[in-house]
Amino acid sequence: MAAKQLSLFDRYIIISSLGASFKKLHPLTMMRNPVMFVTEVGALITTVSLFFQSPGESIGFGLQVAIWLWFTVLFANFAEAMAEGRGKAQADTLRKTRTQTLANRTLASGKTEKVSAEMLRKGDVVVVSAGEVIPADGEVIEGVASVDESAITGESAPVIRESGGDRSAVTGGTRVLSDQIQVMVTANPGESFMDRMISLVEGARRQKTPNEIALIILLSALTIIFLVVILALKCFGLYSGISFSITVLVALLVCLIPTTIGGLLSAIGIAGIDRLVQKNVLAMSGRAVEAAGDIDVLLLDKTGTITLGNRQAAEFLPAPGMTPQELADAAQLASLADETPEGRSIVVLAKQYGLRGRTIAEMPHATFINFTAHTRMSGVDIDGRQIRKGAPDAVKIFIGRDFPGPVAEALERVSRSGGTSLVVAENDRVLGVIHLKDVVKGGLKDRFTRFRAMGIKTVMITGDNRLTAEAIAKEAGMDDYLAEARPEDKLALIRREQAAGHLVAMTGDGTNDAPALAQADVGVAMNTGTQAAKEAGNMVDLDSNPTKLIEIVEIGKQMLITRGALTTFSIANDVAKYFAIIPAMLITLFPEIAPLNIMGLRSPQSAILSAVIFNALIIVAMIPLALRGVKFRPLSATSLLRRNLLIYGLGGLVAPFVGIKLIDVLAGLLP
């Protein structure tokens, strides 16, 4: 899916949103938003009251109030429809990528049969050759192939998918460019990754988040309070011999309840998900986006996230009594079965010592030990020699004793330089150290400084030793690090932070990351990762960029900041309108309150009508801000509160006075 930025004023979206605004007037739909439902009921009452006008009441005034109240409801619906329309446009783009695909399903006999992709079920095995479309989501169980995933990610560069690793997951609708793979189907029709994307992007499964529900309850409470105020005003009028018409009371109620944030609340949530989609991130729920905004602990893998991820063997450091040639020979033998980038770089570096042309196939009597995340070693058993290469602590356990002094000094020297050390051993003897170099990504230190200012703690996760981890964490500006980390260590760290009251976010791509992804408050799985990882996380990064987690947190923060800013603005608006309208309404009856009529509005009717018009137009004015979001700035909670109160609180207080007065003046100029 190409993450294409949609124009805020896309013609197609605007036209479709206008129609949707009227469809959303259905009471069952409006009841999901109590504030706007009250506004709609008020508009209906005002409209009906036009046919039951008391003598002396102006039908023109009542008609204008009714029209603008309906506009208020329609503008709020339009804001929500605009946000939904942007998501539906993304969903339409996805639907266009779907094709009717035939699959080569493998039978129990070993033969294959041509079937429609719609007939595939979980557990089926299909064969996909070069040029064919992968018919369903699945896991590669045999083979390796180059795959074009541009239909999903928008990225034209092909990716490698292979069995037995963390890059085994494939997505239906992508195309194999070379070779042949066998894929086990992991999703039934209608449950595929593409189906979920379409459903979630267009908002069909959007549920209100806990914070959103809490805010709706607050807005409902404020609405009830102002309803009581209006009823009290009616009672006061009856006691004082003042007659307030239904139209006036309804108009006053709508002006005083928080209609601005009530009308924009859904749009803010939908727009947050849309911004993630534009970054090629699929959020499984709005709750995940909201949680991203509340995150205060960020767990980031070192390799590929903090550093460039292309650790390469740079130097052989032989132990006393060993030559670089001998160390290179043993290191290469131990790395032939290591398919990691580090392992391959060791094989390449050893070629500088004349060690070329070695392959596993040429050594049939040798037993090769593959590298695993658990053992953190690879090696070979050949001619009575047990050669191992791996992390220092793993090799130390293998030889059963501490390293000699010169080897320990070499390890410390490499670690303090920010490099990574691997140790090579034969039987119970240490042969030397391999120096791996990596580079910290540019600009990360500044970003982590910004996070620190927001109260977010950043923790680097690495399998390296403590000295290396400390050096790189310091260079990158991280707050803390977890060295020599195993999958269970990540899980334990997340649980400790959560027990301390923190919300944690992390990324992962392998099956061994699944428990930690499921435990984290925000777990971002890489699209290139295993199916288990994608199912465990609550977000999927289609670009498989671990650094994306930083942007996800910023988008979540932006959504919460936008909601808070517009809530502050809306409530400040209500307070200002209260003091702007009430004095103008009562000044003819109580001349003593004339000093409170600081706006000098022409008449009580003009005050009411101007306020109603302003109340409707301010929703329209705020739609771009709700959809685009308040500009993200890395500030502390105190600084953010101060900024919101200064800009949106003070702005919300001033805007009604200026806007209502301007509308009153313009209305006075009309014939």
Side-chain angles (χ1 to χ4, degrees), residues 5-10 13-15 17-18 20-21 24 36 70-86 259-272 274-275 558 562-563 565-567 569-570 573 614-631 648:
Q5 180 74 37
L6 292 171
S7 170
L8 197 62
F9 300 103
D10 183 90
I13 294 177
I14 290 177
I15 293 173
S17 298
L18 288 172
S21 302
K24 289 178 177 290
M36 298 316 301
W70 283 115
F71 273 146
T72 303
V73 179
L74 288 170
F75 289 157
N77 289 347
F78 180 74
E80 184 177 14
M82 280 281 290
E84 291 175 347
R86 291 162 66 84
T259 50
T260 305
I261 184 62
L264 299 174
L265 189 57
S266 294
I268 294 169
I270 297 170
D274 179 63
R275 281 193 289 275
Q558 185 186 31
T562 301
R563 187 186 294 161
L566 291 183
T567 300
F569 182 87
S570 180
N573 250 274
F614 173 83
N615 196 61
L617 295 180
I618 199 66
I619 294 177
V620 180
M622 291 291 113
I623 288 176
L625 186 62
L627 297 181
R628 199 181 291 120
V630 174
K631 187 176 180 180
Y648 297 98

Side-chain angles (χ1 to χ4, degrees), residues 583-643:
M585 287 178 56
L586 302 178
I587 192 171
T588 56
L589 300 171
F590 303 101
E592 296 83 1
I593 66 172
L596 297 178
N597 187 23
I598 59 177
M599 296 172 60
L601 301 177
R602 292 180 297 113
S603 67
Q605 284 191 342
S606 177
I608 291 288
L609 187 58
S610 298
V612 170
I613 295 173
F614 173 83
N615 196 61
L617 295 180
I618 199 66
I619 294 177
V620 180
M622 291 291 113
I623 288 176
L625 186 62
L627 297 181
R628 199 181 291 120
V630 174
K631 187 176 180 180
F632 172 78
R633 289 181 173 86
L635 301 171
S636 64
T638 303
S639 300
L640 190 61
L641 178 62
R642 189 184 302 116
R643 179 175 177 269

